[in-house]
């Protein structure tokens, strides 16, 4: 099948490469010339495990190409819209400028029977509005097919997702759209991946409610961390114990400095903003979810301050800048935010991330970046582990003790072995742990 993918960011670049891997003929289109040049040369513009390999194979096969010209979408039967929906400046609502521009830009190149497929995360109501636009100006139709991929596992999540959700129009046009998507995803469907066909509003809501649920789960355990801190309990044991209840489950119950990234924070804010527009109080609790999450950053800065006495002039080693491991993404990263706050409090911050030094350096040039973990640790008065990279989890506390000037550590992700670090002489502080 001939496919176009509009927008080649974290979502679109992976989607384009994976669709070609599945045997489709794909053109990825993006306005960013540099990104298109990088992708055309087989280089992923961001760190994503497995992507360079899939990209290389797809380009070699001749089934994948990239372009800056929307006219190159002409001739494809299915057009995926995978552009960003960032938070609007000065408001919590989603900024739909790029989605609107992509769909409007596609209109002249659509043929009868084509299907425009929205993958971007949008406020409920968007698909219905855009479907009218598409139908009014072409013989094409529109479906909404939300994407649930996790950064760090994007290739796997795209090739073998948990489920497919198709939001389609009612009646025959919707059935035809579902059949077109079935043809696109034939490989995964043959492996019995669940597939739900819904109306537009449900499909849009599935995505934002999934992210709201995950954010709530993380903030729930971080709220328990606050209670644990006040009572001397250990939130990691609490999470293990409640996680054995299959109805609760242990996943997404890791307390620490909280969630960040390009999705969860902005999506829960946009979801609340949309509920407000609809005159609903139903999502008011998401303001607490957001607030609990942001308070964790204050807590970790306070813990570092407690350990060194005065942050001004203290040498702080920050290990981790990405919003999570196996990613170089620092969008709304709690780790980078904490590093910048420490610096703003007068600390001398030396940061190191195995992949995110460069992306962090572009937004936070005021920080010092070390080229390896040892140089970040050398002579530190306190060490903060803020992203749970394997490299940090596997640090030998005895070796670290030999590098730092004071053996103090804040485990912002509750990822270190507290017994081993204490045995090596460290004043160890976890989040929500005694
Ligand atoms: C998320 C959703 O998981 C994905 O389905 C959706 O499509 C996009 O948003 P992603 O942003 O890649 O994916 O990251 P995710 O793995 O969900 O982690 C989000 C944040 O939560 C990270 O900052 C992570 O460190 C944090 N987190 C996760 C916790 O603080 N505790 C946990 O237990 C789990």
């Amino acid at each position: 099948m001939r496919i176009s993918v509009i927008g080649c960011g974290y979502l679109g670049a992976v989607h384009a490469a994976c669709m070609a891997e599945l045997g489709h003929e794909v053109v990825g289109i993006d306005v960013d010339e540099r990104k298109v040049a990088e992708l055309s040369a087989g280089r992923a513009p961001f760190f994503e495990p497995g992507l360079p390999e899939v990209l290389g194979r797809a380009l070699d096969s001749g089934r994948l190409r990239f372009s800056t010209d929307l006219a190159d979408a002409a001739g494809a039967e299915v057009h995926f819209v995978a552009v960003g929906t960032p938070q609007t400046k000065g408001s919590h609502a989603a900024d739909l400028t790029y989605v609107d521009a992509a769909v409007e830009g596609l209109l002249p190149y659509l043929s009868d029977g084509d299907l425009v497929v929205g993958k971007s995360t949008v406020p409920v109501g968007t698909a219905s509005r855009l479907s009218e636009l598409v139908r009014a100006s072409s013989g094409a139709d529109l479906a909404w097919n939300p994407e649930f991929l996790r950064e760090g596992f994007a290739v796997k999540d795209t090739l073998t997702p948990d489920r497919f959700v198709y939001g389609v129009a009612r009646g025959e046009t919707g059935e035809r759209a579902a059949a077109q998507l079935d043809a696109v995803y034939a490989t995964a469907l043959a492996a019995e991946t669940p597939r739900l066909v819904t109306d537009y509003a449900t499909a849009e809501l599935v995505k934002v409610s999934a992210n709201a649920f995950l954010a709530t789960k993380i903030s729930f355990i971080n709220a328990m961390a606050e209670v644990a801190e006040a009572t001397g309990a250990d939130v990691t044991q609490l999470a293990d114990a409640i996680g054995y209840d299959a109805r609760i489950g242990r996943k997404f119950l890791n307390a620490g400095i909280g969630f960040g990234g390009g999705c969860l924070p902005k999506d829960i804010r946009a979801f609340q903003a949309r509920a407000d527009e609809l005159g609903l109080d139903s999502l008011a609790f998401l303001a607490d979810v957001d607030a609990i999450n942001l308070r964790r950053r204050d807590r970790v800065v306070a813990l570092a301050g407690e350990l060194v006495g005065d942050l001004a002039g203290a040498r702080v080693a920050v290990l981790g800048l990405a919003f999570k491991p196996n990613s170089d993404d620092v969008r709304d990263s709690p780790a980078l935010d904490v590093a910048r706050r420490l610096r703003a409090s007068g600390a001398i911050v030396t940061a190191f991330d195995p992949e995110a030094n460069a992306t962090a350096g572009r937004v936070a040039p005021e920080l010092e970046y070390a080229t390896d973990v040892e140089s970040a640790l050398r002579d530190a008065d306190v060490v903060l582990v803020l992203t749970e990279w394997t490299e940090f989890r596997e640090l030998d506390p005895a070796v670290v003790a030999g590098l730092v000037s004071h053996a103090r550590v804040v485990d912002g992700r509750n990822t270190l072995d507290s017994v081993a670090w204490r045995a090596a002489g460290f004043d160890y502080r976890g989040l929500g742990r005694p």
Side-chain angles (χ1 to χ4, degrees), residues 231-428:
T231 54
D234 185 333
V235 76
T236 60
Q237 287 186 317
L238 182 144
D240 290 343
I242 62 172
Y244 281 118
D245 183 331
R247 294 169 302 174
I248 296 174
R250 182 63 179 81
K251 287 180 183 161
F252 271 66
L253 281 184
N254 294 324
I257 59 170
F259 59 80
C263 293
L264 261 45
K266 71 146 175 94
D267 286 354
I268 60 166
R269 292 172 195 149
F271 198 11
Q272 280 175 84
R274 185 70 185 119
D276 286 348
E277 277 174 16
L278 294 167
L280 299 171
D281 288 333
S282 321
L283 303 181
F285 72 95
L286 289 177
D288 282 331
V289 168
D290 202 4
I292 292 164
N293 190 54
L294 295 175
R295 281 208 296 273
R296 294 286 79 194
R297 304 178 187 186
D298 303 336
R299 171 70 184 158
V300 90
V301 172
L303 269 180
E306 250 172 55
L307 281 175
V308 296
D310 185 2
L311 279 172
R315 302 184 66 89
V316 181
V318 165
L319 303 188
L321 295 161
F323 83 105
K324 68 174 192 182
N326 303 312
S327 169
D328 64 356
D329 194 349
V330 296
R331 288 176 296 169
D332 216 328
S333 168
L336 181 58
D337 188 28
V338 165
R340 300 184 84 173
R341 288 201 211 181
L342 291 164
R343 168 70 218 261
S345 307
I348 303 160
V349 177
T350 308
F352 172 71
D353 188 287
E355 293 294 336
N357 273 8
T359 43
R362 285 200 278 278
V363 285
E366 75 274 21
L367 300 177
E368 290 288 327
Y369 295 93
T371 49
D372 53 62
V373 68
E374 286 79 19
S375 340
L377 291 168
R378 198 158 288 126
D379 300 329
D381 295 315
V382 62
V383 178
L384 273 69
V385 177
L386 301 182
T387 312
E388 65 276 39
W389 285 95
T390 307
E391 178 177 354
F392 304 150
R393 279 195 276 126
E394 289 177 349
L395 281 170
D396 179 344
V399 174
V400 178
L403 291 166
V404 296
S405 78
H406 293 92
R408 303 165 177 143
V409 66
V410 180
D411 184 3
R413 292 288 181 182
N414 291 335
T415 191
L416 305 176
D417 177 350
S418 58
V419 175
W421 282 73
R422 285 194 173 119
F426 274 85
D427 189 348
Y428 168 96

